[in-house]
Amino acid sequence: MDTAIGNKHGQASDLSGLAGVHQIRSEYNEARKLYSESLEIYTEIGNKGGQACSLFGLAEVHWLRKEYSEAVNCYSQSLKMFTDIGKQDGQAFALLGLAEVHRVRNDYSAAINFYSQSVQITAEMGKKHWQASALFSLGEAHRVRNEYSEAATFYTQSLRIATEIGNRQGQASALSGLAEVHRFRNEYCEAVNFYSESLRINTDIGNKNGRAFALFGLAEVHRFRNEYNEAVNLHSQSLQINTEIGNKQGQANALFGLAEVHRLQKEYSDAANCYSRSLEIYTAIGNKDEQAPALLGLAEVHRFRNEFSEAVRCYSQSLKMFTDIGNKDGQANALWGLAEAHLLRNEYSEAVNCYSQSLQIHTDIGDKHGQASDLSGLAGVHQIRSEDNEARKLYSQSLEICTAIGDKHGQASALFGLAEVHRFRNEYSEATNSYSQCLQIAIDIGNKQGQASSLFGLADVHRLQNEYSEAVNYYSHEAANFYSQSLQTTIDIGNKQGQASALLGLAEVHRVRNEYSEAANFYSQSLQAAIDIGNKHGQAFALFGLAEVHLLRENSEAFKCYSQSLKIFTDIGKQDGQAFALFGLAQVHQLRNEYTEAIILYTKSLQIHIDMGNKRGQANALFGLAEVHRLRNEHREAVNFFSQCLQINTHLGNRNEEALVLLLLAQVHGLRNEYSEAVTCYSQSLQINTDLGNKGLQAFALLGLAEVHRLRNEYTEAITSYSESLQITTDLSDTQLQLTALLGLGQVYQLRNQHSQAIASLSQALTIFTRLGDNYGRAFTLLSIAATHDDRDDHNGAIQNYEHAAEIFKQSGNASGEAHALERAANVRRSIGHTGATPRGTWISRRWKKIWR
């Protein structure tokens, strides 16, 4: 090399070095200028190695400036030159660069191709460190494409090599990658294990960035498991570390994660605050890739707050930004959100358009999750439009995809949608099958809302009402006479204490007979008498009685009276009174759906009864705890407390309470699909109530048995139980239970295609609804009768009953019901003369839209 060329070479090398310094400082304009000057000199002196390196540097600058077309051009030229001169390390780096550019442009097929070539070259060179890095990147590319098996394979290979060469940073990264795979496959236990190991290694080597990432991943797992307190704690730790090390990107990510948790907890103000803060940071650091998701999150918050104009605005901004940066996945998500907003505004054509665009994009980029979600969304629109065949087809396609990729949430959502379609088409076997599968998945993934909705679809749950036998009514009548005579006597002799007691007794009788106005009057008189003579004990009991009366009518008054009663019982040291007042307060909270407070108070009441050895009081408190857990869909806990309550009542020989608890235990077992246990409990309750002659609870137990048999498709047994229940309720003149039995019979007969029997049962129910003046019940029974006529091809009968239902809906001011009935009638008219299934309109509940997403 002569002196002039040597000087030129040194000059070019210095320029490249300076360019690298500016590149590290993010001074990209200066770096680009210097790399270009270096390239010009290397070209002039014919130094291909220098040219290749300068082109590689230019490519890196373009990549960092998100000038992806220019980056691809420079990487490609660099690769060609490195190949020409046989410089394998250069080839490997250029291939990695090309792969990275294609990855950020969502061209994963090309990215995987380049990563694979890089892996091959690094393996040939024996550069295990580079090979592990390339394998990790391959895993990342496959993970983004939801190709989790391939991703796991490459992450595992990367982990093995990193472990062999003692590269703990590489180990931690590969472990995090494996954790991500398991998280996206809803394999949360495995994800936690890998994240935790990655966190341990990153902590050992002092890698705060790695720690923060692992904490973020763990937080996301807890978020998907609905363990929101843990998620908030871990995201907060991640935020703190990223703040300490000045990692703005990490801060914004943690804030975004916190926003997601707050959104899921319906803490929309907190969610909006965190989304806005993350958006502000992303904007400040020029990260357009993440600005768009933050805008998307804000849009979601507005949608859930029914602020649809703001939601559409944010979705649209997000869509534009995703489009500008070429993020296909983001575009699809924004379109999906727009579709949801349009759907909620009943703008169905716009919703279909947006869902369809989203589906096309997800299909193009190979996002199976997205395709499934879009298909379910489209199915929902068709379902609302009563286009059942199309809806069923789309839900089925969504279910097939979700099953293939192991997306449990998506499977449940699609199954629920299918179940709804089948239910509205009176295809009960298919609906039961889909609801049951949906329920099992919801249990598996811990989605309590999904469990509740599935159970709601599977069966009509009837709540027990207080019933009093003829014997109790007779006793109450006699007791009223006794207390009235006692009251008169105490008045005659001027016995204030006796008056207060007699008034209290009369109040109790009227309360038991559900004569609440009279009860309140006598309790108030008793309270005043107790106040007049300074009887704290009497005051407390009168207040407690008033609270009991108000409990079913005015919660606020009940709360006030129970609280005053509790204070007096506490002041006078009457523990059993305290326990009863605490129990009453717990009931108030339970009625207000304040279940946490109810549990605390029931538990306090239980402890007092335990301390006092009051078994009956313990049983009552356990019953209350069981009821709260049942209402919270915490069925395992409910079974536990009901079982303890049952054991005590059995020990006490309290057969009435034993029968009631067995009835509720049966209900809970039914909700858990534990039908054998449910049948056992219902049967035991039935036997006890039969022995005691308690006709009302006999009817309830028979209805429960009938329901279980219906759910198990044991229609003969269901008909027997419904019929026996109907006989009893008819004897008791209990119209509500009669209606339950008749409608149950009608439903089972429909399921067995015994149309005449179904119409007979439903007609009896219609007669009762008419006598009661219950237009709602009349109209819906007419719809069932019409559907039965339609099922047996009695089109005139179907049309007549649909139109009759429509008229009643109209008179009641129920426009949607009227429209539904008229559409069903119109569908029947259209079906006349055609073969095959009769198209029917459906009335869709949208609750599934809010459950799974």
Side-chain angles (χ1 to χ4, degrees):
M1 180 185 298
D2 61 29
T3 302
I5 292 177
N7 290 338
K8 291 280 189 179
H9 185 279
Q11 183 183 355
S13 180
D14 291 341
L15 287 167
S16 288
L18 275 173
V21 172
H22 285 293
Q23 180 180 332
I24 292 170
R25 292 175 172 175
S26 301
E27 298 166 353
Y28 299 134
N29 285 332
E30 292 83 350
R32 182 173 56 181
K33 176 184 175 185
L34 292 167
Y35 276 131
S36 297
E37 292 177 6
S38 171
L39 174 62
E40 186 177 345
I41 294 173
Y42 280 130
T43 301
E44 180 184 335
I45 63 177
N47 186 330
K48 288 198 172 185
Q51 286 177 264
C53 289
S54 296
L55 283 164
F56 183 83
L58 276 170
E60 292 281 282
V61 171
H62 286 303
W63 182 79
L64 291 167
R65 288 168 59 99
K66 297 182 172 56
E67 297 167 351
Y68 299 131
S69 296
E70 293 85 346
V72 167
N73 181 42
C74 291
Y75 278 132
S76 298
Q77 292 183 58
S78 171
L79 174 62
K80 184 178 185 307
M81 288 190 174
F82 281 131
T83 303
D84 289 345
I85 62 177
K87 190 170 177 56
Q88 283 190 308
D89 55 352
Q91 287 178 260
F93 283 121
L95 286 165
L96 281 173
L98 281 166
E100 286 293 293
V101 174
H102 287 293
R103 180 182 62 81
V104 298
R105 294 172 82 174
N106 297 317
D107 184 357
Y108 297 116
S109 295
I112 287 171
N113 176 43
F114 288 120
Y115 281 134
S116 299
Q117 292 182 56
S118 179
V119 167
Q120 183 178 351
I121 290 175
T122 53
E124 290 172 358
M125 295 171 63
K127 298 287 187 180
K128 289 191 176 270
H129 190 285
W130 296 355
Q131 186 183 356
S133 177
L135 285 165
F136 174 81
S137 296
L138 257 179
E140 292 282 275
H142 282 292
R143 178 179 60 79
V144 173
R145 283 173 58 140
N146 302 320
E147 297 166 353
Y148 297 130
S149 296
E150 294 85 346
T153 297
F154 290 117
Y155 283 135
T156 302
Q157 291 178 29
S158 176
L159 176 62
R160 179 179 55 78
I161 293 173
T163 303
E164 284 177 6
I165 62 177
N167 181 355
R168 302 202 75 200
Q169 178 64 65
Q171 286 177 265
S173 296
L175 286 164
S176 288
L178 282 167
E180 293 279 278
V181 167
H182 287 295
R183 174 163 69 91
F184 287 118
R185 291 169 77 168
N186 300 320
E187 298 165 352
Y188 297 132
C189 291
E190 294 86 345
V192 166
N193 290 335
F194 284 115
Y195 278 130
S196 299
E197 183 63 15
S198 175
L199 177 62
R200 185 185 66 79
I201 293 174
N202 280 308
T203 302
D204 289 347
I205 64 178
N207 182 356
K208 290 192 173 184
N209 270 317
R211 279 191 66 206
F213 182 83
L215 286 165
F216 176 87
L218 280 169
E220 288 293 278
V221 170
H222 286 295
R223 175 168 71 87
F224 282 111
R225 290 165 76 169
N226 301 321
E227 298 163 353
Y228 297 130
N229 290 335
E230 293 86 344
V232 167
N233 178 42
L234 292 164
H235 274 312
S236 298
Q237 289 184 54
S238 178
L239 175 61
Q240 182 178 351
I241 293 172
N242 283 307
T243 302
E244 289 172 359
I245 63 179
N247 183 346
K248 295 289 187 181
Q249 177 69 43
Q251 290 177 53
N253 289 345
L255 284 165
F256 183 86
L258 282 168
E260 293 282 276
V261 175
H262 287 305
R263 177 175 62 81
L264 291 168
Q265 290 186 294
K266 299 181 181 178
E267 299 166 351
Y268 295 129
S269 295
D270 292 333
N273 177 46
C274 289
Y275 279 130
S276 298
R277 288 170 62 192
S278 71
L279 177 61
E280 184 179 347
I281 295 174
Y282 287 136
T283 303
I285 64 178
N287 188 342
K288 289 188 177 181
D289 288 345
E290 302 299 339
Q291 288 176 53
L295 278 166
L296 192 63
L298 274 173
E300 292 282 277
V301 169
H302 287 304
R303 176 165 64 87
F304 286 121
R305 293 166 91 171
N306 297 322
E307 298 164 353
F308 297 127
S309 296
E310 294 86 346
V312 168
R313 176 178 55 80
C314 289
Y315 280 130
S316 299
Q317 290 178 11
S318 174
L319 175 60
K320 183 179 185 306
M321 196 167 285
F322 279 127
T323 304
D324 290 344
I325 62 178
N327 186 333
K328 296 287 188 181
D329 183 61
Q331 290 176 54
N333 289 336
L335 284 163
W336 187 90
L338 274 171
E340 292 285 289
H342 287 304
L343 180 62
L344 292 168
R345 293 170 76 170
N346 301 320
E347 297 166 353
Y348 300 132
S349 297
E350 293 86 345
V352 167
N353 180 43
C354 291
Y355 279 133
S356 299
Q357 290 185 60
S358 178
L359 175 61
Q360 185 60 57
I361 293 172
H362 280 135
T363 303
D364 291 343
I365 64 176
D367 184 344
K368 299 291 187 181
H369 282 286
Q371 290 177 55
S373 182
D374 296 326
L375 287 164
S376 284
L378 281 168
V381 178
H382 286 295
Q383 190 176 355
I384 291 169
R385 289 171 157 180
S386 301
E387 299 163 354
D388 294 341
N389 289 331
E390 190 63 25
R392 183 167 52 184
K393 173 185 173 184
L394 292 165
Y395 278 132
S396 298
Q397 290 176 17
S398 176
L399 176 61
E400 183 179 352
I401 292 173
C402 290
T403 303
I405 63 176
D407 179 0
K408 297 283 189 181
H409 287 276
Q411 281 179 266
S413 180
L415 281 164
F416 189 87
L418 273 172
E420 292 283 275
V421 171
H422 287 304
R423 181 165 67 89
F424 285 111
R425 289 171 61 96
N426 300 325
E427 299 166 350
Y428 296 117
S429 296
E430 295 86 345
T432 297
N433 181 44
S434 295
Y435 279 132
S436 299
Q437 292 182 61
C438 178
L439 174 62
Q440 187 57 57
I441 292 173
I443 292 170
D444 292 344
I445 63 178
N447 186 335
K448 291 193 174 181
Q449 182 61 58
Q451 294 173 45
S453 296
S454 300
L455 289 165
F456 183 88
L458 277 167
D460 297 324
V461 179
H462 299 283
R463 295 186 181 276
L464 293 172
Q465 297 180 354
N466 290 325
E467 296 263 324
Y468 301 101
S469 68
E470 291 177 1
V472 172
N473 287 333
Y474 178 76
Y475 169 77
S476 297
H477 177 70
E478 291 300 300
N481 287 336
F482 171 82
Y483 283 124
S484 296
Q485 292 172 22
S486 176
L487 175 61
Q488 187 59 51
T489 302
T490 57
I491 291 172
D492 291 343
I493 64 176
N495 182 349
K496 292 282 188 181
Q497 178 63 53
Q499 289 177 46
S501 296
L503 287 164
L504 192 64
L506 273 171
E508 287 289 288
V509 170
H510 285 295
R511 181 177 66 82
V512 169
R513 292 167 70 173
N514 299 327
E515 298 165 354
Y516 296 126
S517 295
E518 294 85 348
N521 178 43
F522 284 115
Y523 278 129
S524 298
Q525 290 184 54
S526 177
L527 174 61
Q528 188 58 55
I531 291 172
D532 290 344
I533 61 177
N535 183 348
K536 296 284 188 182
H537 187 279
Q539 291 174 47
F541 274 106
L543 285 163
F544 181 85
L546 274 171
E548 293 282 277
V549 171
H550 289 303
L551 181 63
L552 298 176
R553 304 195 304 173
E554 300 169 11
N555 284 343
S556 58
E557 284 300 310
F559 188 90
K560 176 182 174 183
C561 291
Y562 279 130
S563 299
Q564 292 176 5
S565 173
L566 175 62
K567 184 179 186 307
I568 295 173
F569 280 131
T570 304
D571 290 343
I572 64 178
K574 188 164 179 59
Q575 282 191 305
D576 58 348
Q578 292 177 55
F580 289 128
L582 287 164
F583 183 91
L585 283 169
Q587 286 182 296
V588 173
H589 286 296
Q590 179 179 330
L591 289 171
R592 291 175 171 176
N593 300 323
E594 297 165 349
Y595 297 132
T596 301
E597 295 84 349
I599 287 173
I600 291 170
L601 292 166
Y602 278 131
T603 303
K604 288 182 178 179
S605 177
L606 174 62
Q607 189 57 55
I608 292 174
H609 286 306
I610 291 172
D611 294 342
M612 295 177 63
N614 184 344
K615 293 290 186 181
R616 191 177 301 278
Q618 291 174 47
N620 289 338
L622 287 164
F623 185 91
L625 282 166
E627 278 291 89
V628 172
H629 285 295
R630 181 175 70 84
L631 292 169
R632 282 167 63 147
N633 297 318
E634 296 166 347
H635 299 139
R636 181 174 59 82
E637 294 84 353
V639 167
N640 176 39
F641 286 115
F642 275 134
S643 298
Q644 293 182 58
C645 178
L646 176 63
Q647 184 178 1
I648 292 173
N649 280 308
T650 303
H651 174 73
L652 293 173
N654 188 345
R655 302 201 77 200
N656 277 306
E657 293 301 318
E658 184 182 356
L660 177 60
V661 175
L662 281 166
L663 207 55
L664 292 172
L665 253 179
Q667 276 192 327
V668 177
H669 283 304
L671 293 172
R672 286 162 64 104
N673 289 341
E674 297 165 348
Y675 295 131
S676 296
E677 293 85 345
V679 168
T680 298
C681 290
Y682 276 130
S683 299
Q684 291 177 8
S685 179
L686 176 60
Q687 185 59 57
I688 293 173
N689 284 307
T690 302
D691 294 343
L692 295 174
N694 190 339
K695 297 289 188 181
L697 290 180
Q698 275 182 264
F700 270 116
L702 284 164
L703 285 171
L705 277 170
E707 286 291 284
V708 173
H709 288 307
R710 179 176 65 81
L711 291 170
R712 294 170 76 172
N713 300 325
E714 298 164 348
Y715 298 137
T716 300
E717 294 84 350
I719 288 172
T720 299
S721 295
Y722 277 131
S723 299
E724 291 179 17
S725 176
L726 178 60
Q727 183 60 54
I728 293 171
T729 56
T730 301
D731 293 342
L732 293 174
S733 299
D734 188 325
T735 53
Q736 293 303 317
L737 292 184
Q738 279 181 270
L739 287 168
T740 301
L742 286 166
L743 293 172
L745 277 169
Q747 188 173 14
V748 175
Y749 282 131
Q750 284 176 325
L751 292 170
R752 292 180 63 164
N753 293 319
Q754 293 176 277
H755 302 126
S756 297
Q757 294 91 327
I759 289 173
S761 296
L762 292 170
S763 296
Q764 285 182 259
L766 178 62
T767 300
I768 296 173
F769 279 127
T770 302
R771 187 174 73 245
L772 295 174
D774 185 343
N775 285 335
Y776 187 91
R778 287 174 64 202
F780 278 94
T781 304
L782 283 164
L783 288 177
S784 293
I785 292 172
T788 307
H789 279 294
D790 195 12
D791 284 339
R792 65 176 186 179
D793 296 327
D794 179 5
H795 303 302
N796 289 333
I799 292 168
Q800 180 182 353
N801 283 283
Y802 279 135
E803 290 181 342
H804 191 181
E807 182 61 28
I808 295 173
F809 279 128
K810 182 179 181 180
Q811 293 171 3
S812 304
N814 188 332
S816 59
E818 179 189 5
H820 170 68
L822 289 173
E823 169 132 4
R824 294 291 292 265
N827 284 341
V828 174
R829 285 193 176 91
R830 284 194 292 271
S831 72
I832 295 174
H834 296 278
T835 60
T838 301
R840 295 189 179 88
T842 59
W843 220 2
I844 174 65
S845 163
R846 292 185 189 164
R847 68 181 184 278
W848 68 273
K849 299 293 290 181
K850 301 176 181 177
I851 293 166
W852 301 108
R853 294 178 181 154

